[in-house]
Structures are given as C-alpha cells and as structure tokens.
Amino acid sequence: MWETVAAIYGALTGLVLPEQAPSRERRSLDVLLTYENGQQQILEVDEKQHFTAARALTLEYYPAGVKLGFDASRWLARSQALTGREPGGGFGKPKPPLFPGEGGRHRQRAFRDALADLLPPVHDPTIRISDTEVTAITAAPDPVSSLRTLLGERGVPDACLASE
C-alpha cells in the first residue's frame, strides 16, 4: 500500500512521504479488540473533527475493493458536507514536520485514519463508528443490542457478539 499511502500524503501536503516518520509521529488506537481465537481488530470512534475536507480527500484515494469495516461512501459524504466547517483552534493547528501549516492537525488526523484503514492486515478490517451512530445507539431502547447489531454489520465475528 506504499504507493497509495504516499499518494495520499502528497495530495494532503504537497510533500514527499519520508520512508521513516519521526518517532513523535505515533498514534494511539481507540480500541484494539482481541477475540478468544487471538484475532484482533481495531475499533475507532470518529467524532465530528474526523469529517473534514482532508478526510474526504484520503477516502477518494482508497483502492477499489479494499476491505473496510465501515461504509466509506457515508464517511465521504459527511466529510464533504462538513468541508469548510472544520473546527479551528487546536483541532487544526500546524503539526510539523510532516503536516506543517494551517490545518496541519486536520491533515494529520485524516492521514492517520487512512493508515489505520489501509495498513493493518493483522487487524483487518478497521471498524469505524461515527459520533452520530454512538448517539443513536445510546438513545436506542436497547443500546447493547443496537451496538451488537452495528458491530456485527461492521465485521465483528458473530461468536464475539453473543450475550453473556
């Protein structure tokens, strides 16, 4: 996926992706699900600041047929709808050296999301849940059942969704 990732980085920054990132360019995952059989999956919860013009751009570079644990067309549509309304302040500050300039944090976040989606074959596919889906789940009459249904639709194995 190097060519895809390098193309995404170039489109976001106008720069060439270095072969090795500075050590401070690391990221934590929201959740790493580990199943009884040892299989693992990444689970990310995307708040509003994950839906930006930069994120829309990254999604447009995803190769056809890439296995995802979310509906990329919905993420793209929401990112496009929120383009131009990205949060300011620390949400968009420069993040040199890889993401210099205004909006650097938005580009960094979008790039890191793309990496989590495209690179982890051991934890494939990354499951994403949007903030609006979290709101719907918590407002549902049976939130646990609603969450189980959503996770099942996103690729969590059935055996892991069973009731206690």
Side-chain angles (χ1 to χ4, degrees), residues 53-125:
R55 184 63 168 134
L57 186 135
T58 66
L59 290 162
E60 291 170 350
Y61 276 83
Y62 283 23
V66 68
K67 187 176 179 184
L68 299 172
F70 64 101
D71 183 344
S73 66
R74 288 182 52 215
W75 260 245
L76 177 60
R78 185 164 181 217
S79 295
Q80 290 170 331
L82 293 175
T83 291
R85 297 187 304 175
E86 289 86 354
F91 287 107
K93 68 182 178 183
K95 297 302 275 183
L98 294 183
F99 299 92
E102 194 60 34
R105 180 68 180 106
H106 293 305
R107 292 190 306 275
Q108 180 189 54
R109 184 181 305 105
F111 184 71
R112 288 176 173 181
D113 284 352
L115 291 178
D117 294 340
L118 298 173
L119 297 184
V122 173
H123 310 299
D124 199 36

Side-chain angles (χ1 to χ4, degrees), residues 85-156:
R85 297 187 304 175
E86 289 86 354
F91 287 107
K93 68 182 178 183
K95 297 302 275 183
L98 294 183
F99 299 92
E102 194 60 34
R105 180 68 180 106
H106 293 305
R107 292 190 306 275
Q108 180 189 54
R109 184 181 305 105
F111 184 71
R112 288 176 173 181
D113 284 352
L115 291 178
D117 294 340
L118 298 173
L119 297 184
V122 173
H123 310 299
D124 199 36
T126 295
I127 298 166
R128 291 195 175 277
I129 300 174
S130 73
D131 55 343
T132 57
E133 291 169 320
V134 170
T135 300
I137 289 166
T138 58
D142 183 357
V144 172
S145 178
S146 293
L147 179 59
R148 281 193 179 116
T149 298
L150 180 67
L151 291 175
E153 291 169 354
R154 301 281 160 90
V156 172

